[in-house]
Amino acid sequence: MSTKVTAPASKPTPADVASLASKTSSQKANVSAQAQSASKMHRRSRSGCFTCRLRRKKCDEGKPMCKACRHLGLKCEYKRPLWWSNNEQRKNQKELIKNLIKRTKLSEKSKESGADSPPGLTHSLPTSATYSEDAAGRTRAASEDSQYSLDFANPHIHGSYDLYNPHMATPRFGNYPQDPSYGYGYGYSTYPPTPYEVDVKTERQMYVNDIPTRRDSTISSFSTYHPPPHGNLAPVVEDDWLHENVYGPHNDIFSGGEGEGGEAVDFNFFDFQHAPATGPSSQAVVQVDECDRHLLEHFVDNVLRLIFPILEVNQHGSARSEVILPALETNKTYLHCCLSIAAIHLKSTARDPSAPVSEQLDSDVVRHRYATVSALCEALALDENHTSILEATLGMIFFHCSVGRPDDCLPDIPWHQHFQAASSLVRKLDLPSAIMAANPPLVHPPFNMTLTAWIDILGATMLGTAPKFADTYREKHLSASSCGLAELMGCEDRMMYLVSEIACLEALKRDGLLDDTALCGHITLLGQQMDIQDSASQCEAPFKSALTSSGAIKPRQLTRNMTAIFRKSARIYLLGLVPGSSRYDAPMQNLLAQFTDLLDLVPAGPEGFDRSIVWPLLVAGAQSIPGSLFRAKFGERVVALGEAGEFGSFGRMLRLLHEVWGINDCMATGVGVEGGEGQQEVEASVGGGGGVQSVHWRDVMRTRGWDFLLI
């Protein structure tokens, strides 16, 4: 029997222990590195320069030039160039970059070998490094061999040179002095920098009681491309369709319409109370009770877009992101105001206005109105939070102009009583001084004061009184400075200043402080002021449609057209102050015919801007006569507007005009109408029926008990 004996294991030496520990730590380090690399996901950066993105190379995102572009002598572009949007142009650009890289490599090799490189290849072509502000980055010297070479080390000659711009500097023929008016250097004219496109992406997430309810994402593209100037060369004759389709959209998007001379849009025109979002993505968190959640969603989805249509055209998204949503987050009184407005709109647009639903909405309206007014009164008593209270008060006044039907009989405080409180807050905040100091684009006007001015000027005509801040508007008119009324509401400031003067003149007439001679003298002076503005406006650019061939809005053209409509209606308003004037007079009907022609320049329909010209339509419509062209065209626009023309200020104006026409037309024909005591009171205010006398629309509102703000 054999026995197998196993030798005992030998004791490990210190060297063996150290080796084992080294292997274990190395394995652990490898495992940790693998786990760490696995946990990190590679994310591609989208903020690198477009040159590196085209080459599919990593960009260190250095400013003003990344390291790769500086080393290779390439143009480093962080603003999206035009060639990025076109596959064919992108392909050509890539080939061009490849050739530039090859030339740069050849230049470096020639320098390393010490050989002389051909002057036409190495030195006569400037690169982006030549224009770098860092002198150390200029790796190209001027050619000394070619008679056509330029001094590329001179930044004054090539400050506007652009390798990627096909319109290179062209020689001027003749001996021109070295003067900035003739371009840089001798005999060379300059062209604008390379056009580029910018994509602005805005994302907003709304939370109601910490629950995400709505997420919006919008992308706006802006372009600086404009047709190149021709200098001394003869202008190129282009087909209209080619210019409209190729150049028109870019100009409309960035410059505010054709014929604007390349004016850039100021996307930060107003001094908003709330600071803008600091990042590309921002979140709106609104705390609201569960029972009011549907009202908030309805306000954001359906009402918000109706409030500032002109501001939305001029500064897309600013009404939402800079005015309303930030206020909903931080101002509880403002939130109650908006919820009451949402309930009014929901009731007026309900397809099935059943009794239980209508009663619930009425309860919501009254409840939130009471909460808003209570908070306003409490804050006014404490004399604090003036800015927030002013914001909510202006909302109570102006937002109601976008919702509600004329026959809404729920209890409410008249708008002019709200405006009394708003005027007091404006003075406490010293906003008139702020608006006097405003000088866009250097000093932006306060948004709340601009909105106050619009309500003040047109609201004064509703009451037959002078605007509360008429002195401020007069000083602004004399200094020819802007309050931002054109950007906010669509009518130029200088025209609105004259409307303020007309309102002051009417207030003096109603108070009996002017005799007929003095009154006619003031009317003549104001008419001459409007003549000057009218002539200047016609010299600037002709009146034409505010829509492009693709249906896009041209903001500046829209403002010009709307200003012409306001100016014509102001003339009608002013002519109505002449003692003994009648709507049947030839001058009045001529003005009305001109006003009717201008209506074609403002887009109609639910997506049009009829609701932004309520005041001109009221003033002109009250002077129209049966069978006039105005009434026919006005009826067509009402039909095109559809259901949207039944509520808000437009619906109330329509109801008032029908009342005025019914009374005045019957008085003119001597035929009585059955109108009850209210009808008799209106006729008594103008001395009874018959003749060509006309009742004023303000008297009809008074007898009907209507406190409308028709703006």
Side-chain angles (χ1 to χ4, degrees):
M1 182 175 72
S2 62
T3 302
K4 185 176 181 181
V5 180
T6 304
S10 61
K11 185 177 181 179
T13 63
D16 296 335
V17 173
S19 176
L20 180 61
S22 176
K23 292 181 180 179
T24 303
S25 61
S26 176
Q27 291 175 355
K28 288 183 178 180
N30 292 336
V31 172
S32 176
Q34 292 177 359
Q36 185 176 2
S37 61
S39 62
K40 290 184 178 180
M41 296 182 62
H42 175 66
R43 300 184 63 183
R44 293 181 60 189
S45 172
R46 295 190 177 274
S47 56
C49 73
F50 282 87
T51 304
C52 290
R53 291 168 65 179
L54 181 66
R55 298 175 57 227
R56 297 184 177 274
K57 300 295 183 181
K58 184 177 180 180
C59 180
D60 64 352
E61 302 179 17
K63 300 294 179 62
M65 295 182 64
C66 68
K67 185 176 180 181
C69 292
R70 181 184 295 275
H71 175 70
L72 296 174
L74 301 176
K75 183 177 179 64
C76 190
E77 297 182 276
Y78 284 96
K79 296 179 180 179
R80 190 175 79 170
L82 287 179
W83 49 260
W84 186 263
S85 304
N86 186 285
N87 292 332
E88 186 65 25
Q89 293 181 6
R90 189 185 298 191
K91 181 179 178 181
N92 295 337
Q93 187 69 17
K94 195 169 184 178
E95 292 296 325
L96 179 59
I97 290 176
K98 287 182 179 180
N99 294 332
L100 289 174
I101 293 175
K102 290 179 181 179
R103 293 177 180 177
T104 303
K105 296 296 184 182
L106 289 175
S107 174
E108 292 176 353
K109 290 181 179 179
S110 64
K111 287 184 178 181
E112 292 175 358
S113 61
D116 295 333
S117 57
L121 178 64
T122 306
H123 300 294
S124 62
L125 185 63
T127 65
S128 59
T130 310
Y131 315 121
S132 172
E133 297 179 0
D134 184 7
R138 296 174 185 168
T139 58
R140 299 292 179 268
S143 172
E144 299 177 355
D145 300 321
S146 174
Q147 59 177 332
Y148 302 105
S149 299
L150 302 176
D151 184 7
F152 294 110
N154 186 353
H156 298 288
I157 295 180
H158 296 284
S160 63
Y161 183 92
D162 190 351
L163 177 63
Y164 300 98
N165 189 345
H167 309 285
M168 301 173 62
T170 55
R172 291 181 182 272
F173 299 97
N175 297 323
Y176 292 93
Q178 188 169 3
D179 184 80
S181 61
Y182 294 99
Y184 294 110
Y186 286 97
Y188 280 87
S189 60
T190 58
Y191 287 96
T194 307
Y196 59 87
E197 290 182 348
V198 178
D199 278 349
V200 179
K201 182 176 182 181
T202 305
E203 295 182 353
R204 294 193 67 89
Q205 175 74 57
M206 171 170 283
Y207 288 81
V208 177
N209 297 335
D210 296 330
I211 301 175
T213 59
R214 179 185 178 93
R215 183 179 183 87
D216 294 328
S217 178
T218 60
I219 297 179
S220 302
S221 296
F222 304 98
S223 171
T224 59
Y225 177 71
H226 298 288
H230 297 294
N232 293 338
L233 301 179
V236 179
V237 179
E238 298 171 336
D239 293 335
D240 294 338
W241 66 269
L242 180 62
H243 187 277
E244 177 73 20
N245 292 333
V246 176
Y247 299 132
H250 294 289
N251 286 340
D252 295 338
I253 292 173
F254 196 79
S255 303
E258 298 174 1
E260 295 296 323
E263 296 181 10
V265 178
D266 187 355
F267 297 101
N268 298 299
F269 185 87
F270 290 104
D271 180 12
F272 294 106
Q273 173 188 344
H274 304 279
T278 57
S281 178
S282 54
Q283 296 179 344
V285 181
V286 182
Q287 297 292 337
V288 68
D289 295 335
E290 185 64 28
C291 61
D292 295 326
R293 179 174 175 177
H294 71 288
L295 294 178
L296 179 61
E297 293 178 352
H298 182 79
F299 180 84
V300 173
D301 293 338
N302 301 288
V303 182
L304 192 149
R305 60 184 177 83
L306 303 175
I307 298 175
F308 296 110
I310 301 298
L311 179 62
E312 184 68 16
V313 170
N314 288 320
Q315 301 181 32
H316 180 68
S318 61
R320 177 191 187 91
S321 61
E322 307 285 355
V323 180
I324 296 179
L325 289 184
L328 289 174
E329 295 181 83
T330 59
N331 193 338
K332 196 71 174 178
T333 307
Y334 189 91
L335 174 61
H336 284 297
C337 166
C338 294
L339 293 178
S340 68
I341 296 297
I344 295 172
H345 185 266
L346 196 59
K347 176 185 175 182
S348 60
T349 58
R351 300 282 183 182
D352 182 21
S354 58
V357 174
S358 179
E359 291 178 359
Q360 179 59 46
L361 291 174
D362 287 344
S363 176
D364 293 335
V365 172
V366 174
R367 175 166 56 90
H368 288 293
R369 275 183 182 173
Y370 178 78
T372 304
V373 174
S374 299
L376 291 175
C377 294
E378 181 181 357
L380 289 173
L382 296 175
D383 198 25
E384 60 183 14
N385 298 330
H386 296 154
T387 302
S388 298
I389 297 305
L390 174 61
E391 187 177 49
T393 306
L394 293 176
M396 288 289 291
I397 298 171
F398 188 71
F399 290 3
H400 197 265
C401 297
S402 302
V403 299
R405 294 185 180 273
D407 54 357
D408 187 5
C409 58
L410 292 176
D412 193 10
I413 298 176
W415 70 268
H416 44 84
Q417 293 185 18
H418 283 305
F419 194 70
Q420 289 282 356
S423 302
S424 176
L425 292 169
V426 165
R427 292 188 175 93
K428 288 183 178 181
L429 293 170
D430 199 21
L431 291 183
S433 299
I435 202 70
M436 285 301 303
N439 185 23
L442 302 177
V443 181
H444 300 294
F447 177 82
N448 285 339
M449 186 60 206
T450 302
L451 181 57
T452 300
W454 185 263
I455 298 173
D456 187 22
I457 295 174
L458 296 185
T461 65
M462 297 286 107
L463 305 175
T465 60
K468 296 185 180 299
F469 303 100
D471 293 338
T472 301
Y473 312 138
R474 190 173 296 116
E475 292 181 25
K476 294 289 287 184
H477 188 203
L478 294 176
S479 62
S481 57
S482 170
C483 288
L485 296 173
E487 288 74 16
L488 182 62
M489 296 299 178
C491 181
E492 294 175 1
D493 298 70
R494 56 182 181 174
M495 185 61 246
M496 295 305 299
Y497 299 151
L498 290 183
V499 174
S500 174
E501 295 298 324
I502 297 175
C504 292
L505 184 61
E506 185 184 26
L508 293 175
K509 176 186 177 182
R510 286 168 58 88
D511 294 339
L513 300 178
L514 288 177
D515 57 22
D516 290 351
T517 303
L519 176 64
C520 292
H522 287 292
I523 291 174
T524 301
L525 291 176
L526 289 174
Q528 292 174 352
Q529 288 290 321
M530 281 188 279
D531 288 339
I532 295 174
Q533 289 191 11
D534 204 1
S535 300
S537 179
Q538 292 180 2
C539 291
E540 289 175 1
F543 296 117
K544 55 185 177 181
S545 174
L547 295 175
T548 65
S549 59
S550 60
I553 297 293
K554 295 181 284 189
R556 297 192 186 279
Q557 186 64 50
L558 178 63
T559 298
R560 186 177 294 110
N561 296 348
M562 289 183 58
T563 301
I565 288 179
F566 270 87
R567 185 180 298 113
K568 200 64 64 176
S569 62
R571 284 184 178 275
I572 295 174
Y573 183 26
L574 185 62
L575 185 58
L577 299 182
V578 175
S581 64
S582 169
R583 61 187 179 133
Y584 286 92
D585 294 341
M588 183 70 75
Q589 290 306 308
N590 289 337
L591 287 176
L592 192 61
Q594 297 171 15
F595 178 90
T596 305
D597 293 337
L598 290 173
L599 286 179
D600 293 331
L601 302 178
V602 175
E607 302 300 326
F609 296 90
D610 285 324
R611 287 166 292 182
S612 299
I613 55 173
V614 169
W615 186 84
L617 290 172
L618 170 64
V619 172
Q623 299 293 341
S624 65
I625 60 177
S628 63
L629 182 60
F630 170 84
R631 293 195 184 183
K633 183 164 293 187
F634 178 71
E636 295 174 358
R637 298 181 76 91
V638 171
V639 173
L641 196 54
E643 185 183 8
E646 300 176 3
F647 54 84
S649 290
F650 191 93
R652 299 183 186 98
M653 178 270 299
L654 181 61
R655 173 75 176 274
L656 177 58
L657 280 183
H658 285 164
E659 292 284 337
V660 172
W661 291 345
I663 297 172
N664 286 340
D665 294 350
C666 292
M667 291 173 62
T669 58
V671 179
V673 295
E674 297 181 1
E677 296 180 358
Q679 177 70 33
Q680 296 173 4
E681 184 178 352
V682 170
E683 292 183 357
S685 66
V686 292
V692 294
Q693 293 175 327
S694 301
V695 63
H696 197 280
W697 50 266
R698 198 181 294 120
D699 295 326
V700 176
M701 288 178 57
R702 177 178 54 82
T703 57
R704 297 291 188 268
W706 294 338
D707 286 312
F708 295 159
L709 177 61
L710 304 178
I711 61 176

